[in-house]
Amino acid sequence: MLNYNTRMSHVPTISLRGVRVHNLQGIDVDIPLGKLTAVTGVSGAGKSSLVFDTLFAEAQRRYLQSFSVGIRQQLERFDQPDADSIGDLPPAIAVRQRRGAWPASRATVGSLTEVGDWLRLLVARAGDVHCPRCQRPVRPATVEPVRAAIDALPAGQRLTIAFPSRPDQDQTVAAWAAALREEGFVRLQVDGNPVRLDQTPAPVLKDDSNVLVLVDRIEAGKTSAERLRDSLETAFARGQGRLALLLDGEGVDERFFDRRWRCPNCDVPVPEPQPRLLDCFDPLGACPQCQGTGLATSGAVSGKRAARSDDVAPCPDCLGLGWNEQALSIRLQGKNIAELSSMTLDELAQFAESRAATPESRAPREQLLRRLAFLRDIELGYLSLVRHDRSLGAGERLRLQLCAALTNDLVGALYLIDEPSAGLHPRDTTRLLPPLRRLCEAGSTVVMIDHHPDFIRAADHIIDLGPGAGEEGGRVVAQGSVTTVIEAADSVTGGYLNDESEAPTTRRPRTAQHWLQMRDVTLHNLRNLSVDIPLGVLCAVIGVGGAGKRSLIQHTLFPCLARAKEHKNAPVSPAGAKVQGSGQVADVVLIDQEPLPRTARSNAATYLKIFDDIRALFAAAADAKIRGFGPGHFSFNQPGGRCDVCEGQGTLTVDMQFLADVIMTCPECHGSRFKKEILSVKVRSLSIAEVLNLTVREAFRFFRAQRGIENKLKGLLDVGLEYVRLGQPTETLSGGESQRLRLAGHLSASRKPRCLFILIEPTAGLHPADVEQLLGCFDGLVQAGHSILCVDNQLRLVRGADYLIELGPGAGVHGGRVIAHGTPQEVACCNESIIGAFLK
């Protein structure tokens, strides 16, 4: 077998030299093309700065430069990353954790994966239209079906080809008849009676008269194909899409054919199938009453079915479906678009596979099945297309984005993926590696940020950043093979790649002091579930994706407790669900995946309200009182004390027209954000700008005498953010840092004892070293009398928990029940447990 250096010696690379984006300290990196590269390191080491703020930003900027000047003027501009040089870049596709904003209010599984687009195209091409009134199938006629109907008649059957016609509103009957004679039509049938235009005066027509203009009289089986086609085409054209066959014989036998999308039975128009009509969020297909939300109140546009609250009634017009009756009149094998979209992806794949493809539907069917197969391979077959984005976990959302990116048939692209293992059950972590490998085999390059040992070991090339976070990181600790990383003395990652680092914890599990009893929980795939939640310990709720973890904890337990504790705007709990023992906790706090505000004016000090205390402290200084400075003068967010030139930003942006904007330090305040007279006010020899430049560790020592500030800074220390500067914008924080900042905010704000902290995937984006630090924070909270309840599958957290509740065994309808519970040691010995094998 070839060693690493031999395999990589002749591989072309993306060369980056002197990269200084955010905390990167002029690093040099080579990324092999056509290979799988893993970028790892502790949280805040500079991974996102390298992958997204450098590689992706430069790829986007270069792509923008390929457009014309007029188009570039209308598009977002991308500044050039701070680097000495960046080599040739392939077209880049970024798949990253959502940062900084909520999803689009109507984003669903169908829209995230493009499966909904292909399903609508398939139904539009292969579906049958039914009349909304009589429910009969409606198919526009063409020449061929009419010829087939004539050929089916007995040989020698005499019949007449005709078309309906009447005078226009501004046209007299005489003028209408004269126009027909000029075109060669001389015979009519009015209410079943023959009329000749060349022998009688203009016919007398009533408002309800049935008027047919006769085109040709033929015999079945004895008329040439050319003559028959010409007569049929003429009748269709002159009849504005309508044609009639009048058969000789006893009684009236008139057979009508319509080229238009119109029900011949009810004589009402029906919609022509098209993908837009099948989209409930398009005005063409949406219910006019609820605009596609399915809710009785049109203002509630946060989602459909899975996302809406139980106290919001469904729309009375569409019964909560979201589509109008015209869209629902199109059916594929008897099922309308609402029924198809509500199927699980597993059911939808089986349905699509059971239908033979026609030439028109072959392409959309293949694309649909291909995406469904990928989603089923990565264990997302329990989802439905109408499942709303806000009801998804971070791992589920990322895998859906991966589906859209990895099934788009691009070759030679650069895929930048943020934490593909996030939220995955240990059983499923290796399911994503084969698709990533296939991308590389097809000629694309994959760069992923990840900390999971399986993903790191599977990479062709590893870039380990660190050794620490913030200013202590930003360097390349190791670059090369797994062996290179393990042997690197400064690599924190290398130590965790050894098997010994995966050994279970030796700490004795703590015993629960009290219990919460959940009874009769019915929501999504949970059916009359009852479970006991331990208090006074660290409890982890685990299970494969879709097993019901978030439904049980985030959407049932938290709403019930929040209402019991009289929280404002407490979410609605499922009907019938009961939680006993809520008096055992003083308060409940939920820390989910809601993003932080990420602007240049938001920082750690403002987020934790530390800045308010600091400004009050400066306003209380003697110099400030003499000059009449209040707390508002020490804010860079309002006029008064902030620099008037840069308005408190510290920088100026120079518009370079069609070139990238140039950002320069403000020449007036030199980046301090404040006026000179404000900076002259000192507290213990430091100005307000110098205080904002302190790290959390330095600030904790500086504010020893201020108990309120010290307590808030203690929360940042507890979650491992001692290196972050007080004035560092939140937009520069990594995902893991942002999550820990939110936890610190709750820790500093809560004054009540015996709180229950509920955390949804708290280890997402965290390095194993960060997880160890987080566990230490949890231990401190438990020792202080609080309770921790985590929804997470990360093995380090699971091993470090005192109690486990495992849901499963599968996803969707195959899950929703407790398959194991107890200490990690007890769950490891449970035969039905899925995670037990990984705990042994």
Side-chain angles (χ1 to χ4, degrees):
M1 181 176 178
L2 296 176
N3 61 32
Y4 175 85
N5 292 329
T6 303
R7 287 189 290 113
M8 305 298 288
S9 59
H10 301 294
V11 176
T13 64
I14 301 172
S15 176
L16 297 94
R17 296 291 179 265
V19 182
R20 294 175 294 275
V21 176
H22 297 155
N23 69 325
L24 298 179
Q25 301 180 23
I27 65 173
D28 298 336
V29 170
D30 292 305
I31 297 174
L33 291 171
K35 300 294 182 180
L36 178 61
T37 297
V39 180
T40 186
V42 298
S43 181
K47 304 181 296 297
S48 295
S49 298
L50 173 63
V51 175
F52 294 107
D53 299 329
T54 302
L55 277 173
F56 185 60
E58 177 63 9
Q60 291 292 86
R61 189 188 69 83
R62 293 184 184 182
Y63 175 65
L64 183 62
Q65 295 302 313
S66 67
F67 291 167
S68 67
V69 172
I71 294 178
R72 292 205 306 266
Q73 190 176 12
Q74 307 299 322
L75 299 177
E76 178 184 359
R77 296 173 185 169
F78 292 87
D79 295 331
Q80 185 170 1
D82 186 6
D84 293 340
S85 66
I86 298 177
D88 293 339
L89 285 174
I93 299 172
V95 182
R96 62 190 308 180
Q97 303 281 354
R98 185 178 62 232
R99 309 290 186 208
W102 277 112
S105 61
R106 297 187 173 189
T108 62
V109 170
S111 62
L112 288 173
T113 60
E114 301 178 3
V115 173
D117 298 337
W118 290 108
L119 176 62
R120 289 192 291 271
L121 183 58
L122 175 63
V123 175
R125 290 189 177 181
D128 299 318
V129 180
H130 292 72
C131 174
R133 292 187 183 178
C134 67
Q135 302 301 317
R136 294 183 181 180
V138 178
R139 293 186 180 181
T142 61
V143 169
E144 294 307 320
V146 180
R147 287 184 58 182
I150 295 174
D151 292 341
L153 296 174
Q157 169 71 54
R158 297 185 64 81
L159 68 151
T160 302
I161 300 173
F163 63 86
S165 179
R166 290 189 63 86
D168 296 333
Q169 291 183 352
D170 58 349
Q171 188 181 33
T172 64
V173 175
W176 167 74
L180 288 175
R181 287 198 304 269
E182 289 178 4
E183 295 180 32
F185 301 108
V186 296
R187 293 180 298 164
L188 303 179
Q189 179 175 289
V190 179
D191 295 330
N193 301 314
V195 176
R196 290 190 65 88
L197 296 177
D198 58 348
Q199 296 179 357
T200 60
V204 178
L205 302 182
K206 300 177 183 178
D207 291 341
D208 59 349
S209 292
N210 179 21
V211 182
L212 297 174
V213 180
L214 308 186
V215 177
D216 194 4
R217 188 170 177 80
I218 63 174
E219 290 186 32
K222 296 183 179 181
T223 306
S224 66
E226 184 177 356
R227 174 184 170 183
L228 182 58
R229 173 175 287 277
D230 289 343
S231 298
L232 294 176
E233 289 286 3
T234 299
F236 269 133
R238 291 295 286 110
Q240 297 182 343
R242 297 192 70 195
L243 172 151
L245 297 182
L246 310 178
L247 277 61
D248 292 355
E250 295 183 3
V252 179
D253 192 351
E254 299 177 352
R255 301 183 184 181
F256 285 90
F257 298 85
D258 203 328
R259 264 185 175 172
R260 302 170 301 171
W261 288 95
R262 196 174 188 89
C263 176
N265 183 58
C266 304
D267 196 29
V268 296
V270 296
E272 179 179 359
Q274 55 177 304
R276 279 189 58 201
L277 177 63
L278 297 166
D279 187 352
C280 66
F281 294 139
D282 189 290
L284 196 62
C287 167
Q289 178 67 26
C290 65
Q291 287 82 49
T293 65
L295 306 179
T297 53
S298 59
V301 294
S302 62
K304 297 175 56 181
R305 281 182 290 277
R308 67 171 181 247
S309 301
D310 291 344
D311 61 344
V312 179
C315 171
D317 283 17
C318 65
L319 302 180
L321 298 178
W323 283 270
N324 58 38
E325 66 172 11
Q326 291 186 324
L328 297 176
S329 68
I330 305 173
R331 302 172 193 165
L332 182 64
Q333 286 186 282
K335 294 190 178 295
N336 60 40
I337 187 65
E339 294 169 326
L340 293 171
S341 300
S342 298
M343 290 180 174
T344 67
L345 300 182
D346 286 331
E347 294 169 343
L348 183 59
Q350 295 170 2
F351 177 86
E353 289 169 350
S354 66
R355 178 181 177 86
T358 61
E360 297 81 9
S361 65
R362 182 172 293 110
R365 177 177 178 270
E366 290 177 355
Q367 291 290 345
L368 175 67
L369 288 175
R370 180 185 175 199
R371 284 163 173 76
L372 290 174
F374 181 89
L375 292 169
R376 298 174 76 187
D377 285 345
I378 57 177
E379 297 295 320
L380 291 179
Y382 57 90
L383 297 175
S384 66
L385 296 184
V386 294
R387 178 79 174 267
H388 195 268
D389 183 35
R390 291 195 181 186
S391 69
L392 299 171
E396 291 172 321
R397 187 180 302 108
L398 186 72
R399 282 180 282 163
L400 293 174
Q401 293 175 321
L402 279 174
C403 173
L406 304 187
T407 56
N408 57 17
D409 295 326
L410 290 181
V411 177
L414 172 62
Y415 289 88
L416 306 171
I417 305 175
D418 185 10
E419 200 80 20
S421 68
L424 285 178
H425 189 276
R427 185 195 69 176
D428 303 327
T429 52
T430 58
R431 293 179 182 268
L432 276 181
L433 289 173
L436 299 179
R437 276 281 171 215
R438 288 195 293 269
L439 281 178
C440 297
E441 293 168 0
S444 293
T445 303
V446 178
V447 179
M448 60 180 179
I449 297 175
D450 214 297
H451 310 297
H452 197 284
D454 291 343
F455 280 73
I456 296 175
R457 294 189 182 104
D460 300 307
H461 187 70
I462 304 170
I463 300 172
D464 187 25
L465 300 179
E471 294 184 356
E472 297 176 3
R475 296 190 288 110
V476 178
V477 176
Q479 183 174 190
S481 64
V482 174
T483 303
T484 303
V485 176
I486 292 176
E487 294 176 350
D490 294 338
S491 175
V492 180
T493 304
Y496 287 98
L497 288 174
N498 290 322
D499 292 337
E500 297 153 4
S501 65
E502 296 294 331
T505 179
T506 57
R507 179 179 59 79
R508 192 182 191 88
R510 290 169 287 235
T511 303
Q513 302 300 312
H514 304 281
W515 296 80
L516 293 173
Q517 293 86 35
M518 300 182 67
R519 299 292 182 265
D520 304 325
V521 178
T522 298
L523 179 67
H524 300 152
N525 65 333
L526 305 177
R527 294 291 180 268
N528 296 317
L529 181 68
S530 296
V531 62
D532 294 338
I533 308 292
L535 297 176
V537 298
L538 169 58
C539 175
V541 179
I542 57 180
V544 299
K549 305 182 295 296
R550 284 161 56 91
S551 297
L552 177 66
I553 303 302
Q554 184 173 358
H555 301 307
T556 302
L557 177 63
F558 174 71
C560 289
L561 291 178
R563 292 216 163 189
K565 300 306 173 185
E566 300 181 345
H567 284 197
K568 293 182 179 179
N569 302 318
V572 178
S573 57
K578 297 185 290 289
V579 176
Q580 302 171 3
S582 59
Q584 304 294 336
V585 295
D587 199 6
V588 59
V589 175
L590 173 68
I591 303 178
D592 55 14
Q593 296 296 318
E594 180 181 355
L596 285 173
R598 298 174 71 85
T599 68
R601 295 187 180 273
S602 174
N603 53 48
T606 58
Y607 183 81
L608 295 181
K609 309 299 183 183
I610 299 175
F611 199 32
D612 296 342
D613 298 331
I614 293 176
R615 290 189 293 113
L617 183 63
F618 271 86
D623 288 348
K625 290 182 177 180
I626 293 173
R627 301 184 185 189
F629 294 158
H633 286 83
F634 296 93
S635 171
F636 52 75
N637 288 325
Q638 53 184 306
R642 72 182 185 186
C643 174
D644 294 329
V645 176
C646 65
E647 296 182 341
Q649 291 281 13
T651 59
L652 295 176
T653 301
V654 181
D655 187 351
M656 299 299 291
Q657 296 299 322
F658 305 124
L659 300 177
D661 292 346
V662 173
I663 299 178
M664 56 181 292
T665 302
C666 175
E668 178 66 22
C669 67
H670 304 289
S672 68
R673 299 185 171 197
F674 295 94
K675 295 178 180 178
K676 292 181 180 179
E677 55 267 30
I678 298 298
L679 296 177
S680 66
V681 178
K682 303 290 183 72
V683 171
R684 293 176 56 193
S685 74
L686 293 184
S687 68
I688 184 69
E690 291 170 326
V691 167
L692 288 175
N693 198 43
L694 294 175
T695 65
V696 171
R697 175 66 68 185
E698 294 168 343
F700 186 76
R701 292 194 295 265
F702 182 80
F703 291 109
R704 276 289 186 184
Q706 283 72 38
R707 185 61 59 86
I709 298 177
E710 186 181 24
N711 288 338
K712 294 177 180 178
L713 292 172
K714 180 65 164 54
L716 290 171
L717 292 175
D718 290 341
V719 297
L721 294 179
E722 69 278 353
Y723 59 89
V724 172
R725 298 194 178 276
L726 295 184
Q728 182 177 344
T730 56
E731 62 182 359
T732 65
L733 298 178
S734 68
E737 290 169 328
S738 297
Q739 289 178 337
R740 285 183 285 167
L741 180 58
R742 290 191 64 216
L743 177 59
H746 287 291
L747 292 178
S748 62
S750 178
R751 296 289 183 270
K752 298 179 180 179
R754 298 182 295 108
C755 288
L756 172 61
F757 289 91
I758 299 176
L759 299 102
I760 309 300
E761 297 180 2
T763 65
L766 296 188
H767 188 276
D770 300 320
V771 176
E772 297 288 353
Q773 194 165 23
L774 188 65
L775 285 172
C777 175
F778 290 166
D779 286 341
L781 287 172
V782 173
Q783 291 173 7
H786 300 296
S787 304
I788 306 293
L789 180 61
C790 297
V791 176
D792 209 311
N793 285 318
Q794 214 273 355
L795 273 178
R796 293 186 178 281
L797 185 144
V798 172
R799 288 193 177 101
D802 302 303
Y803 196 86
L804 302 179
I805 299 173
E806 184 174 6
L807 300 183
V813 296
H814 302 293
R817 63 183 182 88
V818 178
I819 61 174
H821 61 90
T823 66
Q825 293 78 11
E826 291 170 342
V827 171
C829 298
C830 178
N831 294 329
E832 196 173 359
S833 171
I834 298 174
I835 207 169
F838 300 91
L839 292 174
K840 291 180 180 178

